[in-house]
Amino acid sequence: MAVPLTDQEKRKQISVRGIAGLGDVAEIKKTFNRHLHFTLVKDRNVATPRDYYFALAHTVRDHLVGRWIRTQQYYYEKDPKRVYYLSLEFYMGRALQNTMINLGLQTACDEALYQVTAHLCVSAHLSVSFSGRMKYDSVVLAMPYDTPVPGYHNNTVNTMRLWSAKAPNDFKLQNFNVGDYIEAVLDRNLAENISRVLYPNDNFFEGKELRLKQEYFVVAATLQDIIRRFKSSKFGSRDPVRTSFDTFPEKVAIQLNDTHPALAIPELMRILVDIEQLDWDKAWDITCRTCAYTNHTVLPEALERWPVYMFEHLLPRHLLIIYDINQKHLDRVAALFPGDIDRLRRMSLIEEGDPKRINMAHLCVVGSHAVNGVAQIHSDIVKSSVFKDFHEVDPDKFQNKTNGITPRRWLLLCNPGLAEIMVERIGDDFLTDLYQLKKILQFVDDSAFIRDVAKVKQENKLKFAAFLQQHGQVKVNPDSIFDVQVKRIHEYKRQLLNCLHAITLYNRIKLEPKKSFVPRTVMIGGKAAPGYHMAKLIIKLITSVGQVVNNDPAVGDRLKVIFLENYKVSLAERVIPAADLSEQISTAGTEASGTGNMKFMLNGALTIGTMDGATVEMAEEAGEENLFIFGMRVTDVEEMDRKGYNAREYYDRLPELKLAVDQIQAGFFSPGQPDLFRDLIDMLMNHDRFKVFADYEAYVKCQERVGELYKNPREWTKMVIRNIAASGKFSSDRTISQYAREIWGVEPSSVKIPPPNEPPFVSQS
């Protein structure tokens, strides 16, 4: 049975979370019990933890829905510009605890649940639905599922809308009626397959017809929804400008998250020209002023290039619109650069070849008023390389918007101990203005503060070590360096470099077993796309190395290698606060930004990394001397590309690298299948685009610096404090404010919507 919070613990939670006092505990208990009894029809004699979870979810929902409805009323009354962020995938994390924190209910819920002996659970969806129509070669209904997204202590609850494909009720009913039941069911499944499984797009474009249907499905449903809302505005019925769409870009902003929703551009043109009967030039002006595009990758294989024949089959009208867009675009380029045929070829939306393909990134650039990368180095590469020709034509169109993370989830929720000691020293303003963390620099030499920061880290490591053991993983030494690399498994992220270093450490211990070594627990986590053979081999290598290292008695607890299975947001919330070292080791110039690097920094992990993605800006903010930076810079990589990269040169010159590679190749880590990693070794030796061997020596030496500093806990923790203090730039609040002002044309508002218990707005409807 859980023990109620002590008065001291209550005060700490209140101060950390900025939550109102405990006066609501009785109300929470009453509502909780009401839902347990009347919604779930259970009492405590038969209720399961799942029942308690749903009773809590319903209780929190009761506090949420009033704010959600009030937010929509407020938007209807004020008629502000609305921003629609179109993405094919969202990694939201669990919602329930985040909602309790943002609504100011966490402490009251904690205490109420302790008093009724239930355990705190997380995650909830609330959903409402209605249907609208869209067409491919047949009719499919798009049913919205809405999830509330509450702001932090401001009573605003916005909406994340997901779409589910449903077959119409009359779908091939005639087949069913004449007895062809199987055909009727198969046709229905084909329609609903559109949203049943999302193709995992892991920086590699795979031109599958179902994926194209998915992309059009979400775009078509969303645009119909946007236009319905635009026309049904409070002022729409008496404003002829609404029906002419003159004010559409002043009331609607559409942000395209990568090229997956690129079809929004021809779809909006189709609606404006074919349905609303606007002339082409006016429709194009409206479309361009409404849409903006965020690029997320510089890898050429990740950029979507759809075969023309697929559009001819599925979306013939959209193909004609794209042809028209391309013709007008090329006419403009030809006028600016007369006779430059090669430039026209490079900038065309249609790539000649067998088959002809539509370059969706080019479509996004041409059809948007703003194009941005997600870290300064990435945005510079976008302008100088990926879209160089387009930047020369429209330089003012290109911007940078460095990614950010929310400190509410990635500090307050996942690391309350660290948040607490920040609150004690500088107050809680940093939760909404992360730059306030700079104030902790005044305590960088304060022994008590250093001790508190180190204590929180050690407590988090002990918790995660227990979690690993509880879930069947290896028993780890909590005094070791928790060396963590968690991200999608991909060659450019270079988990292989990390693995080679782990093998090198193992060989050093075996060579000198009596020598003193700084203990280290190497944790690598992430998922591989189902069809990505090399990524799966990388995972297999990590687990195989772990199997040997972790069971070698000569190594003991000085080194462990662990693959974190089923990596997801909820696991990240556990491992990131426990990490000592954050691995950000992609080849310079390949990582767009990264956000894991920011989460680790905010939670007190030091970074070992290349000058790539947002790590460059982290080094600028904290000082390069406070990160472990190694390896080639972008200019070095470009120079190596010109000269040619020869992996064997490093293999022959570096004995420790040669030994590690030879062990993998000989089957030392896969004795039952010696040639298991043949393809992986062949890639590393003969066609490694990401130059793992070229950075191996610098990486190993940099890791030696890590070990030396770790032996001095005071200096290590002082560097941790400097990193936390420098993490203010990487708040998503800053990121979204920049998008709002510089792309969407809206001013962020500090207006706090009146709560539901105050008189409602007067409605004219």
Side-chain angles (χ1 to χ4, degrees):
M1 179 181 294
V3 178
L5 295 173
T6 66
D7 289 341
Q8 182 181 8
E9 288 170 331
K10 291 173 186 175
R11 285 194 297 272
K12 287 180 70 175
Q13 289 199 356
I14 292 168
S15 65
V16 171
R17 292 164 177 153
I19 295 170
L22 297 173
D24 291 334
V25 171
E27 180 193 345
I28 295 289
K29 287 173 62 179
K30 180 179 178 180
T31 308
F32 179 90
N33 284 321
R34 175 170 57 83
H35 280 299
L36 187 64
H37 294 159
F38 298 109
T39 304
L40 299 170
V41 198
K42 298 288 180 68
D43 64 18
R44 294 186 201 172
N45 294 321
V46 296
T48 65
R50 185 174 184 271
D51 296 321
Y52 286 141
Y53 157 73
F54 278 109
L56 175 62
H58 283 293
T59 301
V60 173
R61 187 183 68 173
D62 287 353
H63 288 263
L64 183 67
V65 292
R67 292 171 171 86
W68 198 8
I69 293 170
R70 178 55 64 93
T71 299
Q72 300 310 312
Q73 291 175 336
Y74 183 84
Y75 291 163
Y76 183 81
E77 293 294 325
K78 301 297 182 182
D79 194 30
K81 185 173 187 177
R82 295 178 184 252
V83 177
Y84 298 89
Y85 193 89
L86 271 63
S87 178
L88 245 69
E89 51 193 3
F90 294 93
Y91 299 109
M92 295 297 294
R94 294 178 175 177
L96 182 54
Q97 189 176 1
N98 189 63
T99 298
M100 291 191 292
I101 286 175
N102 285 356
L103 296 185
L105 297 172
Q106 175 82 60
T107 302
C109 286
D110 281 353
E111 180 64 15
L113 287 175
Y114 277 123
Q115 291 183 18
V116 298
T117 71
H119 296 286
L120 182 63
C121 303
V122 289
S123 180
H125 291 285
L126 319 161
S127 58
V128 297
S129 61
F130 59 85
S131 61
R133 288 181 179 271
M134 54 174 292
K135 292 185 178 180
Y136 302 115
D137 50 327
S138 58
V139 175
V140 178
L141 298 182
M143 181 175 291
Y145 286 84
D146 289 351
T147 299
V149 182
Y152 181 69
H153 290 192
N154 61 5
N155 294 326
T156 298
V157 180
N158 286 321
T159 302
M160 180 180 70
R161 173 158 287 183
L162 306 179
W163 296 100
S164 178
K166 302 293 182 184
N169 289 333
D170 60 350
F171 201 77
K172 294 293 180 69
L173 189 60
Q174 63 272 24
N175 287 353
F176 191 87
N177 288 340
V178 299
D180 195 351
Y181 308 126
I182 294 177
E183 184 66 25
V185 171
L186 287 177
D187 285 344
R188 190 176 195 89
N189 285 342
L190 284 175
E192 299 185 356
N193 278 344
I194 290 172
S195 60
R196 198 183 306 277
V197 177
L198 178 67
Y199 271 107
N201 188 2
D202 189 28
N203 278 318
F204 187 82
F205 172 65
E206 198 172 7
K208 300 293 187 181
E209 183 176 299
L210 178 57
R211 176 76 176 197
L212 181 59
K213 286 184 177 181
Q214 291 174 338
E215 293 184 0
Y216 179 63
F217 173 76
V218 70
V219 159
T222 301
L223 280 171
Q224 289 185 48
D225 193 33
I226 291 171
I227 290 171
R228 174 198 59 79
R229 190 172 293 111
F230 173 75
K231 287 183 173 182
S232 63
S233 158
K234 174 182 177 181
F235 307 101
S237 59
R238 58 179 183 266
D239 183 3
V241 175
R242 286 289 168 122
T243 55
S244 70
F245 283 82
D246 287 347
T247 61
F248 194 76
E250 282 72 52
K251 291 297 181 182
V252 174
I254 296 174
Q255 190 69 33
L256 307 177
N257 184 47
D258 222 325
T259 57
H260 312 140
L263 284 167
I265 294 169
E267 174 67 3
L268 182 54
M269 285 296 293
R270 184 189 69 82
I271 293 170
L272 295 178
V273 173
D274 293 359
I275 299 175
E276 303 297 337
Q277 298 294 299
L278 273 62
D279 68 71
W280 178 276
D281 290 341
K282 182 175 182 179
W284 183 243
D285 176 67
I286 290 170
T287 298
C288 291
R289 289 195 292 131
T290 300
C291 296
Y293 162 54
T294 300
N295 174 269
H296 282 280
T297 182
V298 300
L299 300 180
E301 66 267 27
L303 297 175
E304 291 188 304
R305 294 174 165 90
W306 287 105
V308 166
Y309 69 78
M310 202 174 287
F311 269 68
E312 290 173 337
H313 170 60
L314 288 177
L315 301 167
R317 176 58 181 139
H318 295 77
L319 178 60
L320 293 177
I321 291 171
I322 291 170
Y323 279 153
D324 285 343
I325 293 171
N326 192 44
Q327 186 59 57
K328 294 178 186 299
H329 158 64
L330 292 181
D331 288 346
R332 179 179 176 231
V333 174
L336 292 171
F337 302 93
D340 194 342
I341 304 300
D342 194 53
R343 181 181 293 270
L344 293 177
R345 178 191 59 78
R346 296 196 306 267
M347 296 185 70
S348 176
L349 274 57
I350 308 299
E351 297 179 347
E352 300 298 329
D354 187 17
K356 283 187 177 182
R357 295 183 179 272
I358 303 169
N359 188 311
M360 304 303 281
H362 288 186
L363 174 62
C364 287
V365 173
V366 171
S368 299
H369 70 275
V371 176
N372 72 278
V374 290
Q376 189 61 60
I377 187 174
H378 171 229
S379 297
D380 291 341
I381 291 171
V382 162
K383 292 188 289 188
S384 64
S385 177
V386 182
F387 301 128
K388 179 176 183 292
D389 294 320
F390 294 88
H391 179 252
E392 290 174 355
V393 171
D394 291 304
D396 294 338
K397 180 182 284 192
F398 290 81
Q399 305 184 20
N400 173 61
K401 297 289 173 282
T402 299
N403 278 339
I405 59 172
T406 168
R408 273 76 65 184
R409 179 180 292 275
W410 294 111
L411 181 57
L412 185 58
L413 186 155
C414 74
N415 201 344
L418 183 59
E420 168 62 24
I421 63 175
M422 300 301 155
V423 170
E424 289 176 350
R425 264 57 173 209
I426 64 173
D428 63 2
D429 287 347
F430 68 89
L431 292 172
T432 51
D433 178 11
L434 203 59
Y435 282 109
Q436 295 291 322
L437 285 178
K438 288 182 179 178
K439 293 179 180 178
I440 67 170
L441 282 176
Q442 64 187 296
F443 305 109
V444 72
D445 293 309
D446 184 309
S447 295
F449 186 63
I450 293 170
R451 183 181 63 248
D452 287 347
V453 172
K455 181 182 177 183
V456 168
K457 178 61 70 174
Q458 190 62 22
E459 288 172 351
N460 290 336
K461 292 174 69 175
L462 287 166
K463 289 177 187 175
F464 192 66
F467 172 84
L468 288 176
Q469 193 166 3
Q470 179 185 349
H471 288 78
Q473 295 274 11
V474 178
K475 183 178 181 180
V476 301
N477 177 5
D479 294 323
S480 65
I481 300 174
F482 277 19
D483 180 346
V484 183
Q485 185 180 19
V486 283
K487 52 187 75 233
R488 288 175 296 106
I489 308 297
H490 198 288
E491 291 162 79
Y492 87 86
K493 293 179 181 289
R494 300 203 297 190
Q495 285 91 354
L496 283 173
L497 183 58
N498 193 349
C499 199
L500 287 170
H501 174 247
I503 295 172
T504 299
L505 291 179
Y506 172 72
N507 288 334
R508 287 179 177 181
I509 293 172
K510 294 291 285 184
L511 183 65
E512 300 180 88
K514 297 188 181 300
K515 184 178 178 180
S516 175
F517 287 90
V518 177
R520 186 180 296 245
T521 301
V522 178
M523 306 182 209
I524 303 175
K527 293 178 179 176
Y532 191 175
H533 171 65
M534 194 58 66
K536 291 185 174 184
L537 268 185
I538 292 170
I539 293 175
K540 180 60 177 174
L541 177 62
I542 296 165
T543 58
S544 298
V545 170
Q547 189 69 22
V548 171
V549 171
N550 301 340
N551 292 289
D552 192 325
V555 175
D557 64 359
R558 290 180 290 181
L559 179 65
K560 299 294 180 187
V561 178
I562 297 172
F563 183 77
L564 299 174
E565 298 175 4
N566 195 21
Y567 182 67
K568 52 187 175 181
V569 174
S570 54
L571 181 54
E573 291 169 357
R574 294 178 181 272
V575 67
I576 288 173
D580 293 305
L581 189 66
S582 162
E583 299 269 354
Q584 309 297 329
I585 58 177
S586 55
T587 311
T590 61
E591 184 70 83
S593 169
T595 56
N597 45 8
M598 305 168 188
K599 296 164 190 171
F600 281 107
M601 183 187 200
L602 181 60
N603 281 274
L606 299 183
T607 300
I608 183 168
T610 55
M611 290 296 265
D612 197 26
T615 303
V616 176
E617 291 161 76
M618 289 165 52
E620 292 170 355
E621 294 294 305
E624 193 171 326
E625 70 277 8
N626 289 307
L627 283 76
F628 297 100
I629 299 296
F630 73 94
M632 298 181 290
R633 310 290 171 110
V634 171
T635 53
D636 300 319
V637 174
E638 292 172 345
E639 179 64 21
M640 184 170 287
D641 284 334
R642 283 190 291 270
K643 290 182 177 179
Y645 166 63
N646 182 0
R648 183 161 292 277
E649 171 191 337
Y650 300 94
Y651 171 83
D652 291 337
R653 182 170 62 82
L654 302 171
E656 288 187 314
L657 173 62
K658 184 178 187 300
L659 174 60
V661 172
D662 288 348
Q663 287 173 314
I664 298 170
Q665 188 169 27
F668 181 82
F669 299 105
S670 55
Q673 193 176 348
D675 64 346
L676 176 61
F677 301 113
R678 180 181 55 198
D679 291 348
L680 191 150
I681 294 297
D682 179 58
M683 179 275 292
L684 285 173
M685 294 296 296
N686 301 309
H687 44 88
D688 177 13
R689 292 188 297 145
F690 304 107
K691 306 171 181 61
V692 170
F693 291 0
D695 273 340
Y696 168 84
E697 185 176 21
Y699 178 59
V700 170
K701 288 180 178 177
C702 193
Q703 288 280 22
E704 291 169 357
R705 288 172 46 213
V706 170
E708 283 301 309
L709 185 64
Y710 192 76
K711 291 191 289 189
N712 187 335
R714 180 179 175 87
E715 290 305 312
W716 179 280
T717 306
K718 287 174 68 173
M719 190 181 287
V720 165
I721 293 169
R722 294 187 195 103
N723 273 266
I724 296 171
S727 59
K729 176 180 180 177
F730 305 106
S731 169
S732 55
D733 300 334
R734 185 268 314 154
T735 306
I736 297 303
S737 293
Q738 289 182 339
Y739 273 100
R741 292 188 176 102
E742 299 165 21
I743 294 181
W744 303 329
V746 295
E747 185 63 26
S749 172
S750 59
V751 171
K752 188 172 182 179
I753 296 175
N757 58 355
E758 293 186 8
F761 296 104
V762 176
S763 176
Q764 304 298 321
S765 59

